[in-house]
Amino acid sequence: MDIVVRYEVRAAKQYGGVVKKVINQAAEQVRCPRGVAVSVSFIGDRKMRALARDYRGKDCTANVLSFSTHDSYSMIPGSQNDFGDIFISLPEAKREAKKYRWTMRYAVARLALHGFLHLLGYDHRKEAAARKMEKIEEKILKKFT
């Protein structure tokens, strides 16, 4: 798996290793196609708010947004496939870490994992699906507390 991390917020550079580690661990534990590429971008509130407004119709910042760039028919076995993009708001991660008394390492790992699971098709709209997603998150995030 190829994980590209981009930093529009300089302070996020210290979390690149955490992002790669949590996504790799998730890829090992859930069904993830081989040879995929994922990009993770750390952004600020202004850009996150614009993305949320333009793509979700919500005029507020979000903590993480995922955009899948694949469908089940576009995956070519044995080649590097662009799987999707994850955007993490570093300011929102900081606010959540403070609010819930998490470490920043945990907050960032949680958001990267959550975004990656969305790329894999997991969601939390229905209660049963939310429980399944939460179970996976809890298992993987134990290593990041």
Side-chain angles (χ1 to χ4, degrees):
M1 169 170 286
D2 186 27
I3 303 166
V4 177
V5 183
R6 295 180 176 90
Y7 308 96
E8 291 186 25
V9 178
R10 267 191 240 169
K13 286 190 177 187
Q14 62 186 309
Y15 303 112
V18 171
V19 165
K20 290 179 180 182
K21 187 174 181 179
V22 75
I23 290 175
N24 279 318
Q25 287 181 8
E28 289 176 12
Q29 292 192 24
V30 297
R31 289 183 58 184
C32 178
R34 294 198 178 273
V36 299
V38 175
S39 87
V40 179
S41 297
F42 285 95
I43 60 176
D45 280 338
R46 187 178 305 156
K47 185 165 185 177
M48 184 60 89
R49 186 175 185 158
L51 288 172
R53 183 186 61 241
D54 294 348
Y55 293 98
R56 295 188 68 221
K58 297 183 178 187
D59 191 22
C60 59
T61 193
N63 55 7
V64 64
L65 289 175
S66 299
F67 298 95
S68 177
T69 54
H70 74 282
D71 59 44
S72 58
Y73 303 103
S74 69
M75 300 307 289
I76 302 167
S79 67
Q80 192 70 22
N81 294 284
D82 184 9
F83 203 60
D85 301 304
I86 301 168
F87 293 89
I88 297 173
S89 166
L90 189 64
E92 188 63 23
K94 286 179 180 179
R95 287 189 288 270
E96 288 181 359
K98 184 177 181 179
K99 179 178 179 181
Y100 297 110
R101 296 183 178 176
W102 295 333
T103 65
M104 273 301 290
R105 182 177 188 270
Y106 178 85
V108 168
R110 183 183 156 278
L111 294 176
L113 174 60
H114 192 82
F116 182 65
L117 291 176
H118 277 306
L119 292 181
L120 291 171
Y122 290 87
D123 74 41
H124 41 78
R125 291 184 199 148
K126 294 183 180 174
E127 191 174 329
R131 279 196 307 271
K132 185 176 181 179
M133 189 173 181
E134 287 170 12
K135 217 180 239 188
I136 294 167
E137 289 175 332
E138 287 172 8
K139 183 178 180 182
I140 294 169
L141 290 173
K142 283 180 185 178
K143 299 171 186 171
F144 292 89
T145 55

